[in-house]
Amino acid sequence: MKTKLLSLALVAGFALALLLLTPARAKAQEGELQVVDEVIAQINDDIITLSMLKREIKERIEALKQGGMTEQQASDEVMKNRPQLIATLINEQLLLQKGKELEFTDKVEAEVNKRMLDVANEQGIRSIEKLYQAMRESGVDPDATKAMLRKEIMKQAVIQEEVDSKLFWGFTPVELRAYYEAHKDKFRKPESVTISEIYLGFAGKNEAAVKAKAEQLVAQLRGGADFGALAAANSEREQNGERTAPKTKGKVGAFEVPNLREDIATAIKNVKAGAVTDPVRSNDGYQIIRVDERTPASDASVFNENQVREAMTIERSPKAREDYLQGLRNEAYIKVAKDYQEGVAPLLKLKPEAVVITSGDGSVPEKKKGKGKFLKIFPRP
């Protein structure tokens, strides 16, 4: 459980901070003020603060360090791309605002609760309250985790509804057939496999001991032991708090090889039907995979409308998503603080009429564009 909950902690680290409408100041000494936070950008009626940016920078540095960079290398890389990071935060804020406008809030909240419940069920925890307690004991803030999930699910929902879904269903039969004829190689049936597994989790155990047990099981299987029997006795995969292997004998199902998790695809690459892999390490345990059956790829192409729509959507969605975000930016009231304008403004690609110009008294002309209001959080020019 601890490993699973710690993975949630990584997600929670991105949770949004409390937004301040004005720069906060605290008295350091008599007659001296110290800036605690500052506003970097206003997007309609919401803002991005320096503390939010610092939190994102810290998370990016940690991610790069986990990828093998030194502290200095990671810091240099992130700071070099700081304007892009600010632009990303602005895009995220626009997507969150659009989600609220589309009245996705209740659906998103339901999905957040479902995912938390799924985690509880996977870990054999009987109630959400006990899950939250276990998370806190592992150093994870449930509220921060839910806030992060809420933000990510909202962004995904907007992109799916406003871009991907419209793109997917927007292709005409003529366009679909033309794309298929020009890309027949994409629509050959790939190799598929039917697999079974024995899963041994790390929760509450010494990892070395788990690996040793997995290696013993592999040796038994390669010596002729019955896979189903060993899976029923040893596999720890659970659903709704109960082990599944006593009923399934470890059977997982059939998959097209390109759709398999990369580490599993690599592990089974040269494994013949009926044979097993070496133990495959995942984030929360070891898997022993048996290839039950292999079906070779076909040289013949087959027209399947949904598959063609999916291929066209995948190919064209990056540009469609960027065009959509540009539209949101063009329609929004966006004001970037002076110290950040030089690096960020070109990335936003705003039209000249989108630039917010304040008058001498700090107000905004009546014909300003955008849905927000001037919050008077930036100094007068």
Side-chain angles (χ1 to χ4, degrees):
M1 182 193 304
K2 185 172 181 181
T3 302
K4 181 73 174 182
L5 297 177
L6 288 178
S7 68
L8 284 175
L10 186 61
V11 174
F14 288 92
L16 292 176
L18 178 65
L19 301 183
L20 306 176
L21 289 181
T22 57
R25 296 176 179 269
K27 204 169 190 178
Q29 296 180 14
E30 187 67 29
E32 180 184 355
L33 292 176
Q34 179 181 356
V35 177
V36 176
D37 207 351
E38 68 175 285
V39 174
I40 290 176
Q42 179 184 343
I43 308 95
N44 294 322
D45 293 341
D46 292 311
I47 63 173
I48 293 171
T49 64
L50 180 60
S51 61
M52 294 168 62
L53 176 61
K54 287 182 176 179
R55 193 159 38 250
E56 292 290 337
I57 287 173
K58 181 179 179 182
E59 294 293 342
R60 302 283 176 117
I61 289 174
E62 289 302 316
L64 291 175
K65 286 168 59 179
Q66 291 180 12
M69 286 190 180
T70 65
E71 176 85 30
Q72 188 62 51
Q73 289 172 332
S75 179
D76 291 345
E77 180 67 21
V78 173
M79 294 307 293
K80 179 178 66 177
N81 295 304
R82 191 173 68 163
Q84 288 89 335
L85 182 52
I86 296 172
T88 297
L89 291 173
I90 291 173
N91 288 334
E92 288 182 348
Q93 194 61 247
L94 289 168
L95 289 173
L96 296 176
Q97 292 172 359
K98 188 64 176 181
K100 292 177 182 178
E101 179 184 319
L102 294 171
E103 299 182 346
F104 285 173
T105 301
D106 290 344
K107 292 180 180 179
V108 167
E109 193 63 27
E111 180 63 21
V112 169
N113 292 334
K114 178 182 178 298
R115 294 194 187 185
M116 297 297 285
L117 184 60
D118 287 344
V119 172
N121 289 335
E122 289 172 6
Q123 300 301 319
I125 299 175
R126 300 298 182 179
S127 70
I128 287 294
E129 290 74 18
K130 290 184 178 180
L131 172 65
Y132 291 169
Q133 180 182 350
M135 291 172 72
R136 293 187 185 98
E137 290 173 354
S138 297
V140 180
D141 182 352
D143 293 331
T145 300
K146 291 181 69 175
M148 182 54 208
L149 286 174
R150 197 174 291 120
K151 181 180 76 170
E152 293 303 318
I153 293 170
M154 180 68 86
K155 291 189 300 182
Q156 292 169 12
V158 172
I159 289 295
Q160 181 176 349
E161 177 73 16
E162 292 288 283
V163 183
D164 293 351
S165 180
K166 292 179 179 179
L167 195 61
F168 183 89
W169 294 112
F171 301 118
T172 66
V174 173
E175 289 174 321
L176 293 171
R177 179 58 67 173
Y179 185 88
Y180 169 75
E181 293 295 337
H183 302 86
K184 282 189 174 182
D185 57 314
K186 289 187 176 183
F187 304 105
R188 296 190 179 104
K189 189 174 178 61
E191 180 186 14
S192 61
V193 291
T194 303
I195 60 176
S196 298
E197 71 157 2
I198 296 176
Y199 167 75
L200 304 176
F202 292 147
K205 304 173 188 173
N206 177 277
E207 182 175 335
V210 175
K211 183 179 181 181
K213 180 177 179 180
E215 290 172 341
Q216 290 173 2
L217 291 173
V218 168
Q220 293 178 46
L221 291 166
R222 289 174 176 169
D226 181 80
F227 187 94
L230 284 185
N234 296 279
S235 187
E236 299 171 357
R237 187 72 70 192
E238 293 185 355
Q239 185 174 12
N240 298 325
E242 296 184 0
R243 289 177 58 242
T244 58
K247 294 181 180 179
T248 66
K249 308 301 181 185
K251 292 187 179 298
V252 178
F255 302 88
E256 292 183 346
V257 172
N259 295 332
L260 287 171
R261 209 173 69 205
E262 185 176 355
D263 56 341
I264 292 179
T266 301
I268 70 166
K269 184 176 181 179
N270 298 313
V271 177
K272 296 180 179 180
V276 298
T277 66
D278 290 331
V280 179
R281 190 189 188 286
S282 63
N283 289 333
D284 53 2
Y286 278 99
Q287 291 172 278
I288 302 167
I289 307 296
R290 183 180 71 174
V291 177
D292 301 329
E293 183 180 351
R294 281 188 180 273
T295 303
S298 171
D299 291 332
S301 299
V302 178
F303 179 83
N304 179 294
E305 180 179 323
N306 283 341
Q307 288 181 356
V308 178
R309 286 185 183 277
E310 182 179 359
M312 293 179 72
T313 300
I314 291 172
E315 182 178 293
R316 302 182 187 185
S317 65
K319 182 179 185 304
R321 291 180 180 190
E322 180 51 41
D323 289 346
Y324 179 74
L325 284 169
Q326 188 63 58
L328 292 182
R329 293 194 294 266
N330 290 343
E331 294 173 0
Y333 173 97
I334 299 176
K335 174 68 175 178
V336 180
K338 183 178 179 181
D339 291 344
Y340 304 91
Q341 285 178 357
E342 183 178 355
V344 177
L347 300 174
L348 300 178
K349 300 178 183 177
L350 297 179
K351 298 177 181 178
E353 61 268 26
V355 178
V356 178
I357 302 175
T358 59
S359 62
D361 62 358
S363 63
V364 176
E366 289 186 6
K367 291 186 178 180
K368 75 175 180 68
K369 60 100 190 182
K371 305 172 186 176
K373 57 180 179 292
F374 186 62
L375 300 179
K376 296 185 179 179
I377 55 179
F378 293 101
R380 298 177 182 177

